[in-house]
Structures are given as structure tokens and as C-alpha cells.
Amino acid sequence: MEAQEQKDMDSNSNIMCLLTDPEGTPLGPSMFLPHNAGPPQLQQLVNKLLNNEDKLPYSFYISDQELVLQLGAYLEKNKVSVEKVLKIVYQPQAIFRIRPVNRCSATIAGHTEAVLTVAFSPDGRQLASGSGDTTVRLWDLTTQTPMHTCTGHKNWVLYIAWSPDGKHLVSGSKSGEILSWDPQTGKQSGNPFVGHKKWITAISWEPVHLSSPCRRFATSSKDGDVRIWDISLRRCVIALTGHTLAVTCVKWGGDGMIYSGSQDCTIKVWETTQGKLVRELKGHGHWVNSLALSTEYVLRTGAFDHTGKQYSSPEEMKEVALERYNKMRGNAPERLVSGSDDFTMYLWEPAVSKHNKARLTGHQQPVNHVYFSPDGQWIASASFDKSVRLWNGTTGKFVAVFRGHVGPVYQISWSADSRLLLSGSKDSTLKVWDIQKQKLKQDLPGHEDEVFAVDWSPDGEKVASGGKDRVMKLWM
């Protein structure tokens, strides 16, 4: 009798739990955990089970909600039955924390037409912008003043991209020409890259862990082609043809594949030695507008991280970048998400299958921009329906909707620690959203007109925004 009572007491005070990684791989068998176990105790347990020499910070999720209470309190609050095994997903956290931006530290005039694109360098030390006034500008972030005005384009500058080693800046214009610049001097390096017949929609560099120093980049254009260029040879080395309508976006993946999304409703996957088409991803019923990779943050920043370390040789840079890429990717394949005019998004694992992993529905208008968080755990999407939505980056499951903008949301950007999300809108404001609390953290008014472009610096210190009012704003 006593033994039975003892057993009942044990099962009452303990909860059967299964710890898994975001991909669903269990960390050992199911185990009984006490009611009063919370994130600190789970953190100790995971570090122990993984034999981590340095104790790493983890956050824990139960069906996409972050666990911030003790298990007993969570079960009570959410009326969860203790009959079933409770699945807890552990996720490594950024070791550093980004302070939220909350004020405009500088409004820099200079451009004489709308600012259409802004981008921080991979180490976060420089900032570039492209404008309807046909110039690219480089800004000094320490003095918050214009540094170089790069002239040479004959039409609107629609897209700019830094090489992940920080040595080159490339810009594409509405007339289809591509120019490259030396970020140190602001001077044009060599002749224009000629080949595209219509405007440039996107530029993506070959990752530095695949090739260092950086030489090759891909461009997509409204003329329906994707081209691979070599910055040393200053010419197109491969033309990827096969799309039947405008190509709207291009991404160079970490395993060497190029992904292109088009108004022909398809996404094509290309290998980059001969430019062969590897597979075609079909499913969207309308134009594909935006693509994002789960590894995008480490591809963009290469060897640079929040510590600000600089590198002496391309070899060292390649080595560090490869280590960062492998760590970020883990054992799972690189994931791709696509956003479309058909109001939906698809989650893909192109290396594994031509079939989508999940269809993400909920937006009421075209999806403008999709973006994975730096840790690959979340997908954020911005839409003409004035909302930003948050999804699970592994399963594609809907997590939350952020409402607050009163106009279409054009662009989003993540903080380096994946805890905050920034959005820029036609309503002239920027907003910062808190991912854990799933609500608005900061409203940043200040622009006098539509905000077209936003970027959060990789070191997490600054946000840049530009738009129709012709000014660049820096937020700290």
C-alpha cells in the first residue's frame, strides 16, 4: 500500500519529458523531470548531456512557445495533460545580447532622390546606400557623415551587395549595368559589367568559405537571366538561362548552389561550375518575390562576428568562415523559404527534395520579403497586408502575427542575436518586434515618407533606414 502511495506521489511530482533539437532529434530517451524544473535546470541538463566543456546558453520551446516558467506552472497555465510525453525543443542562444535600438542618432542628407537600398558591410563598420539619384554612397559610421559619393551609374541604383570578405561593393541599376567599387576609396574599380538587358533585381556573392578572396557573384535581372561574374576577369563567366519571365531574386547557397526565383512562378537550383540546372521547385501560383536561406546570416558575414576580429589572410578568413558555416548548419540541410504574390510561402530543403517541406499560409496580400533569423530558428515575412508574420524556421508552422503598421511592409531585418525583428513600411515608420514576448518593442517614427530599405548591422549596434524622403537615418 505504502509503495503504491509513494509511486503516485512520484508520478505527481514528476513530468515525463523528451528533449529534442529543432530538427526533432531526441537528446537521449524520455525522462522524468520535477515540476519545479525551469529553464536554468534544463540548461544545466542539456549542457551535461551534450558534454559541453564551455557551458552554453539555451532557450527551450514547447510547441513554439518559449518556456519561461517552471514546468509545473507551464502545464497548469496551458492546461496541458501530464498523460503524454512533453516534447521540449532546446535551441542554442546567441552568447551575446543586442540592445534594442530606440532613438535616431543621425539623419544624414546627401541623396537627392529616394534611397532605394541600404546595406552594412559584413564587419558592420561601413554602410552603403543606393538611390534614385544614380549614386552609391558610403557613410562613415563613427562620425555619422557621408564619406564617398560613387558616381558612374546612368540610372536608379536598385541593389547593392558587399562581398563577404568586405573587399568589394557591387551595385546594379535600372538600366541593367553593374559597377563595382573599392569601399576604401569610393572609386569605381574597372569597367562596368555588361550583359543584362533590363534592370537588376538582386545580387548575391559566392560565400567566402567556398572561395577566398571573394571573386564571383551572381545577378538576377528583369530580362529573365541570372549571370555569374568574375570580379578579377571583369566579365560574365556563366549565364544561367531557362526562366521564361523576369528573375526577381537570387541567392548563392552555402553548399555552392545558386537559387533563383522568378515571375514564371518557379524557383530554379543551379550548380556553379558549368551552370547546369539541378532541379526546379514548383508550387507557387503567382510570381516569386523573395527568397531566403537558413544560413544567410553566416554567409553574409563570412568570418566576421560580434567580436570585431579582423583577419590577416584570405586563407584564415576562409577557415573561420567554414567553421562558422558548419556550426550554423549542423547536421541538417540548408533550408530555403520563398514568398510570393499568391499570398503564400513555401519552405524547401532543395538538397533533399524538389517537393516543399511546408506551405505557409495566412497573409492576405502578396508577400514582399522573407528572412530567416541568424540562428535559423525563425522565418519572418513582410506583406502588403500591413502585417509581419513569424514562423518556425524548421517546420514552417505559424507562430505569431505582428500588427501595428498601417501601410504595406516593404522590408525586414533581424538583430544578430535573433531576439529582435525590424520592419520598415510605407507608413513612414520602422518598428522593432520582441520575438520572445511576440509584441511591439519599439516604434520608430521619424521618416517623412515611405521607408523602402532597412538593415541591422551584423555587429548589432546600429540600424540604417532609407526611403522616399531622401535621407538616411541611423538608429542606435
Side-chain angles (χ1 to χ4, degrees), residues 8-237:
D8 287 354
M9 270 177 65
D10 280 354
S11 61
N12 281 345
S13 59
N14 290 331
I15 301 155
M16 185 65 133
C17 298
L18 178 68
L19 285 162
T20 78
D21 70 5
E23 297 292 326
T25 312
L27 181 58
S30 304
M31 58 188 113
F32 279 112
L33 294 176
H35 263 236
N36 61 359
Q41 290 77 17
L42 288 170
Q43 198 148 286
Q44 280 177 330
L45 182 64
V46 170
N47 273 301
K48 198 169 157 192
L49 291 172
L50 290 171
N51 299 320
N52 291 336
E53 285 181 17
D54 303 328
K55 298 289 170 257
L56 295 173
Y58 290 91
S59 42
F60 300 90
Y61 294 84
I62 301 173
S63 50
D64 285 328
Q65 292 291 330
E66 185 165 356
L67 179 70
V68 286
L69 312 159
Q70 293 180 336
L71 287 170
Y74 172 86
L75 295 180
E76 217 165 286
K77 187 179 164 196
N78 293 284
K79 312 257 183 299
V80 178
S81 145
V82 274
E83 305 291 296
K84 295 203 290 280
V85 176
L86 189 64
K87 193 172 140 194
I88 304 175
V89 178
Y90 67 91
Q91 173 83 30
Q93 276 191 342
I95 296 164
F96 56 100
R97 270 197 110 88
I98 298 297
R99 290 190 301 276
V101 284
N102 54 17
R103 61 184 180 84
C104 178
S105 67
T107 300
I108 325 173
H111 282 299
T112 54
E113 287 296 332
V115 179
L116 304 174
T117 170
V118 299
F120 283 99
S121 59
D123 63 2
R125 295 182 179 196
Q126 277 182 288
L127 172 65
S129 59
S131 160
D133 65 12
T134 75
T135 69
V136 171
R137 283 175 180 257
L138 287 157
W139 310 86
D140 184 330
L141 291 173
T142 32
T143 60
Q144 302 185 350
T145 53
M147 197 160 73
H148 302 296
T149 301
C150 314
T151 54
H153 280 295
K154 299 176 186 64
N155 211 320
W156 299 359
V157 180
L158 299 177
Y159 208 97
I160 51 177
W162 292 85
S163 61
D165 60 4
K167 302 272 188 281
H168 308 280
L169 178 68
V170 167
S171 54
S173 83
K174 197 179 170 185
S175 50
E177 66 186 350
I178 298 154
L179 300 178
S180 65
W181 313 91
D182 176 346
Q184 298 312 310
T185 62
K187 298 267 184 288
Q188 190 178 321
S189 40
N191 298 328
F193 296 82
V194 189
H196 282 302
K197 315 272 185 296
K198 288 186 180 170
W199 70 61
I200 306 299
T201 53
I203 304 169
S204 185
W205 281 85
E206 181 169 21
V208 71
H209 71 258
L210 296 176
S211 156
S212 180
C214 294
R215 280 182 61 163
R216 297 195 302 167
F217 62 92
T219 55
S220 58
S221 164
K222 214 168 148 53
D223 64 13
D225 292 348
V226 172
R227 287 174 177 264
I228 301 176
W229 310 84
D230 184 310
I231 201 136
S232 317
L233 302 175
R234 306 213 67 77
R235 62 183 175 83
C236 172
V237 284

Side-chain angles (χ1 to χ4, degrees), residues 340-355:
S340 161
D341 259 25
D342 65 10
F343 308 178
T344 74
M345 297 147 64
Y346 279 110
L347 181 61
W348 315 85
E349 284 177 352
V352 180
S353 166
K354 64 175 186 184
H355 300 293

